[in-house]
Amino acid sequence: MDDRKRAIVVCPNGIGISNILIYTLRELFPDILFLDVLSVRNAAEYPLSYDLVFSTVHMRTKAALFVVPPILEMQDKHTLRQQVMQELYGYTTESVDVAALLKIISKYATIHEQDQLEKALKSNVYTQTPKITQFSLKEAEKPVLEELLNMQTIQLQQQVSDWKEAIQVAAKPLVDLGTVEERYVDAMIEAIETNGPYVVITPGVAIPHARPEQGVRSLSMSLLKLDEAVDFAPDKPVRLIIILAAVDNDSHLRALIQLTQLLNEPANIEEIVSTSDKSVLMEYVHKYSKEEAE
């Protein structure tokens, strides 16, 4: 009998980004049994018992709730680990104050590149929170990022009138290609109207998606880069809109994890949003499609 604590992962649409989240959480907490990825509605009717809920949105539950961003940065992983340890065991591992550490170092040594040193220290301090491993990325039948994002599915545009138009414009190549139906675009908009701007996964980047049965014909992705940010909420300006159309729970995972690795570097996002050349975007897509083979 598995006596580990049991958890579920909840995302408003129960698919897409949440699959990356469950892999990250399984790595972060090997001592927790993660049962399922569920939509908010399905979570309310879930028949199995569980102790913890990791959700990208606030929700009502009797279990211990941890609201997490869809993509966990290093600092997020560290903070979450502390919170979960506190909840489960009543204590946390000693938190290292990197700023205080830098102060001591600067007292006895000359620091030439403070930012780089801070980054390196944080990376070292938080190493107990591993990056996504190459769990099953070797499954060759799953498409890589550049099979989905290409010259046909990437668009550069100056501006849009609002976030709804951003989604419509971003999804147009997929509607034209016939990989999604028009109703999928409506479903993505409706999901945000119902659940709020949960698709803004990191500053400046949104990944709208809905459920496969809402009009996805085949696995596909498209990207729209805007010169002028559009607000998905008053405090959530977005310049990169990446449409995800998944057909099942896992065929999109390989490409999505490559996309996550690309977006995990703020410098990449900065260069992508400042370019007016599609081929620059394609270079990034190509680089991260190859990343796992290195």
Side-chain angles (χ1 to χ4, degrees), residues 1-266:
M1 167 92 179
D2 196 326
D3 57 1
R4 288 181 291 172
K5 292 285 185 187
R6 297 149 72 86
I8 58 169
V9 176
V10 178
C11 168
N13 273 308
I15 197 164
I17 309 299
S18 48
N19 283 294
I20 282 198
L21 188 54
I22 197 166
Y23 278 116
T24 311
L25 291 169
R26 276 181 178 144
E27 283 200 324
L28 204 47
F29 304 109
D31 43 350
I32 295 174
L33 178 63
F34 286 90
L35 301 167
D36 232 323
V37 175
L38 303 162
S39 65
V40 178
R41 192 182 59 225
N42 292 348
E45 301 152 4
Y46 195 59
L48 302 179
S49 68
Y50 50 87
D51 310 288
L52 311 164
V53 178
F54 293 86
S55 173
T56 55
V57 290
H58 284 276
M59 58 177 280
R60 292 174 71 167
T61 175
K62 290 193 175 91
L65 173 69
F66 299 94
V67 179
V68 294
I71 292 180
L72 291 160
E73 307 268 331
M74 206 170 4
Q75 177 71 55
D76 300 323
K77 290 179 184 178
H78 181 69
T79 307
L80 182 62
R81 193 164 176 82
Q82 304 285 66
Q83 290 168 345
V84 173
M85 295 280 282
Q86 186 68 52
E87 172 67 36
L88 292 185
Y89 310 114
Y91 70 88
T92 60
T93 49
E94 196 56 48
S95 187
V96 178
D97 186 340
V98 173
L101 210 53
L102 277 171
K103 228 174 189 170
I104 296 166
I105 294 168
S106 63
K107 201 172 170 183
Y108 299 100
T110 308
I111 299 174
H112 297 292
E113 293 184 50
Q114 176 132 354
D115 289 355
Q116 292 304 314
L117 177 60
E118 190 174 346
K119 206 172 174 184
L121 284 171
K122 280 181 176 171
S123 173
N124 195 278
V125 166
Y126 306 143
T127 45
Q128 76 263 38
T129 58
K131 274 188 161 180
I132 294 169
T133 58
Q134 305 301 320
F135 59 96
S136 61
L137 291 184
K138 300 289 176 252
E139 296 175 38
E141 73 276 8
K142 290 194 175 84
V144 292
L145 191 58
E146 64 186 348
E147 289 174 67
L148 302 175
L149 287 181
N150 51 48
M151 286 302 209
Q152 223 178 340
T153 55
I154 290 176
Q155 304 175 89
L156 310 181
Q157 189 163 311
Q158 194 177 348
Q159 63 188 100
V160 288
S161 55
D162 59 18
W163 65 266
K164 290 181 189 177
E165 192 193 349
I167 291 176
Q168 288 159 347
V169 172
K172 191 175 183 304
L174 304 185
V175 174
D176 292 348
L177 286 166
T179 62
V180 304
E181 297 166 25
E182 195 67 59
R183 68 191 176 100
Y184 187 69
V185 183
D186 299 334
M188 288 188 285
I189 291 171
E190 201 178 305
I192 294 169
E193 286 177 327
T194 307
N195 301 298
Y198 70 98
V199 298
V200 181
I201 53 137
T202 194
V205 183
I207 304 188
H209 57 288
R211 293 194 296 279
E213 66 272 17
Q214 292 177 299
V216 179
R217 289 186 188 144
S218 62
L219 170 62
S220 47
M221 246 184 218
S222 59
L223 181 150
L224 170 65
K225 193 228 58 163
L226 297 169
D227 291 341
E228 288 178 31
V230 62
D231 287 337
F232 272 63
D235 58 342
K236 291 192 185 293
V238 167
R239 289 185 61 192
L240 277 184
I241 298 99
I242 299 154
I243 302 291
L244 172 65
V247 282
D248 54 33
N249 269 342
D250 62 4
S251 59
H252 61 290
L253 271 181
R254 190 181 188 194
L256 194 55
I257 284 172
Q258 291 169 346
L259 178 67
T260 308
Q261 288 166 341
L262 191 165
L263 298 174
N264 261 340
E265 285 294 329

